[in-house]
Amino acid sequence: MAVTKIIRKDNLGVAIDALNNHDVVAFPTETVYGLGAKAFDKKAVKKIFKIKGRKFDNPLIVHISNLEQINLIAKDVPPIAYDIGKKFWPGPLSIVLKKSDLVSDLVTANLDTVAIRMPNNKIALKLINAVGPVAAPSANLSGKPSCVELNHILDDLTGKINYVIDGGKSKIGLESTVIDLTSNPFVLLRPGKISFEELEKFFGKGKIIKYKFENSKITIASSPGMKYKHYSPNAKVKLVKNIASFLKNNKLKNFVLISSKKYDLEKSNINFVFKSNEHLAKNIFSWFRKSDKLKKDYVFVEEINEKHLGNAILNRVKKACEKN
Ligand code: TXA
Ligand code: MG
């Protein structure tokens, strides 16, 4: 079993050496922590799937540190990809393009496309600058909520990886927005901090649509990751519209309530209160994970407005509800 070592941000040489030696390293980004390997190192990329327990049909995102690297990873790159890069990168947006021959089928799960993003985190950018493009999924065990702080990595991956870089708490707390640029109109595959509204403003109305399972033109094959259960605590998760009447009508015990207001609850229950959607996004995976640590039976989440960041938050909460 590996002894998992914590690397401080002023000691990145150790992480760089590890990546250059076919190893994987958990590292911070502004969205969530990633579990990275050099993107062109098949041996190391394979380790990622094994460690996470990730299915081989779920592709990874390739992380870059400058726009020129797009050409290494992708081919037939449309000019709009560079415009997007200039506008949104480094930042929480991944774009799907036609893959180049350099990228292995392992990274892309046999798709002919590849997801690319430039993370907005100094540590991540330094690593990529030193070793080249890094393939990385979120660093959690498959099915678990993503890791947004060092302790989450240690909970999931202690003994399974050699190195994690301590980058403190993730600024955003939800995974990047993913858009497919190989289809017409473009498709929002996964909502994130960069919202559909913002993208629609950038591309123009009708130029980008939201992915819908029932939309016959878009098959599940275009984003295999979406069919998997995600982000789930062990507890049963439920969205609640009217908390006050819900609490009055349901005499449940041993639950976590995530709400915008504080409620007076019995001792066996816990109330996490969010001040804004940004605050909720940043903390929701931590609160899911806390509910597991405390062995709670239910997590009730106040239903928020589905616009902007609310769309991304509700997407994750609804996925967490699905397993029940
Ligand atoms: O913020 C993030 O995106 C984080 C950090 C570490 O960058 N990464 C992340 O990776 O969330 P992961 O593997 O947990 O989620 C990647 C998502 C999956 O839903 C996957 O199916 C989709 O991106 N994806 C990757 N390559 C794709 C492709 N070629 N076509 C369509 N979807 C793709
Ligand atoms: Mg993930």
Side-chain angles (χ1 to χ4, degrees):
M1 209 168 72
V3 176
T4 304
K5 292 172 268 311
I6 299 166
I7 300 176
R8 305 291 161 198
K9 64 175 183 219
D10 53 8
N11 198 19
L12 291 185
V14 178
I16 292 164
D17 287 348
L19 290 169
N20 283 330
N21 265 310
H22 312 290
D23 206 351
V24 302
V25 173
F27 66 100
T29 83
E30 82 281 34
T31 56
V32 300
Y33 275 75
L35 182 60
K38 280 168 67 164
F40 304 126
D41 182 346
K42 269 185 99 163
K43 187 173 150 191
V45 169
K46 211 169 186 170
K47 287 185 189 167
I48 293 177
F49 287 88
K50 212 174 145 220
I51 291 166
K52 275 184 63 98
R54 184 177 176 108
K55 298 261 167 36
F56 283 105
D57 68 353
N58 194 359
L60 310 181
I61 295 171
V62 177
H63 297 70
I64 59 173
S65 59
N66 63 63
L67 285 181
E68 287 78 64
Q69 286 169 336
I70 294 182
N71 282 317
L72 281 179
I73 313 293
K75 67 178 178 196
D76 308 335
V77 180
I80 191 119
Y82 297 97
D83 299 338
I84 293 168
K86 280 180 205 141
K87 165 92 178 159
F88 295 104
W89 286 348
L93 178 68
S94 300
I95 59 174
V96 172
L97 295 168
K98 268 204 154 28
K99 88 171 194 72
S100 80
D101 298 336
L102 274 180
V103 179
S104 77
D105 290 338
L106 197 58
V107 169
T108 63
N110 287 316
L111 295 174
D112 57 3
T113 58
V114 61
I116 306 177
R117 102 172 176 99
M118 193 192 294
N120 188 13
N121 176 285
K122 277 192 190 142
I123 295 172
L125 291 171
K126 272 189 194 162
L127 274 191
I128 303 162
N129 269 333
V131 306
V134 167
S138 52
N140 52 288
L141 289 177
S142 278
K144 291 273 164 216
S146 293
C147 299
V148 298
E149 50 185 275
L150 180 68
N151 278 332
H152 300 163
I153 304 272
L154 296 177
D155 285 345
D156 277 19
L157 300 179
T158 291
K160 294 189 161 77
I161 58 171
N162 290 314
Y163 300 105
V164 50
I165 303 170
D166 182 4
K169 198 164 174 178
S170 309
K171 277 213 175 90
I172 295 172
L174 295 181
E175 307 81 356
S176 64
T177 307
V178 181
I179 57 175
D180 184 358
L181 296 183
T182 67
S183 55
N184 186 7
F186 303 140
V187 181
L188 173 73
L189 295 174
R190 179 174 72 182
K193 168 81 178 160
I194 294 179
S195 66
F196 181 73
E197 291 84 350
E198 207 172 339
L199 291 167
E200 202 173 44
K201 202 166 145 199
F202 178 78
F203 291 117
K205 245 195 160 47
K207 298 278 189 338
I208 181 161
I209 55 170
K210 285 187 184 177
Y211 176 92
K212 283 207 176 70
F213 283 97
E214 59 270 25
N215 188 331
S216 58
K217 274 196 289 189
I218 307 152
T219 63
I220 196 77
S222 63
S223 195
M226 300 184 63
K227 70 172 182 263
Y228 290 113
K229 302 245 181 293
H230 277 97
Y231 323 115
S232 310
N234 297 323
K236 211 171 154 68
V237 182
K238 196 175 152 53
L239 269 173
V240 178
K241 266 213 177 80
N242 185 331
I243 306 265
S245 86
F246 177 81
L247 290 175
K248 214 170 117 199
N249 295 319
N250 293 277
K251 293 283 164 245
L252 295 160
K253 281 190 184 346
N254 201 33
F255 63 77
V256 164
L257 172 66
I258 300 177
S259 57
S260 61
K261 272 193 260 137
K262 196 169 164 17
Y263 289 85
D264 204 11
L265 302 177
E266 264 183 39
K267 257 201 177 148
S268 72
N269 307 319
I270 291 186
N271 194 185
F272 293 119
V273 180
F274 58 86
K275 296 183 224 121
S276 61
N277 279 357
E278 280 71 22
H279 184 228
L280 176 57
K282 192 167 171 169
N283 287 286
I284 192 152
F285 290 145
S286 299
W287 293 338
F288 279 180
R289 283 174 173 269
K290 274 199 185 134
S291 93
D292 279 352
K293 286 228 150 149
L294 298 167
K295 301 205 166 20
K296 296 294 168 196
D297 296 323
Y298 304 91
V299 177
F300 301 120
V301 185
E302 179 176 325
E303 195 158 347
I304 52 171
N305 188 307
E306 193 146 29
K307 288 212 166 82
H308 303 286
L309 186 58
N311 183 27
I313 296 168
L314 285 177
N315 168 272
R316 308 311 191 269
V317 177
K318 284 177 184 168
K319 288 225 172 205
C321 294
E322 269 171 29
K323 83 165 175 44
N324 305 305

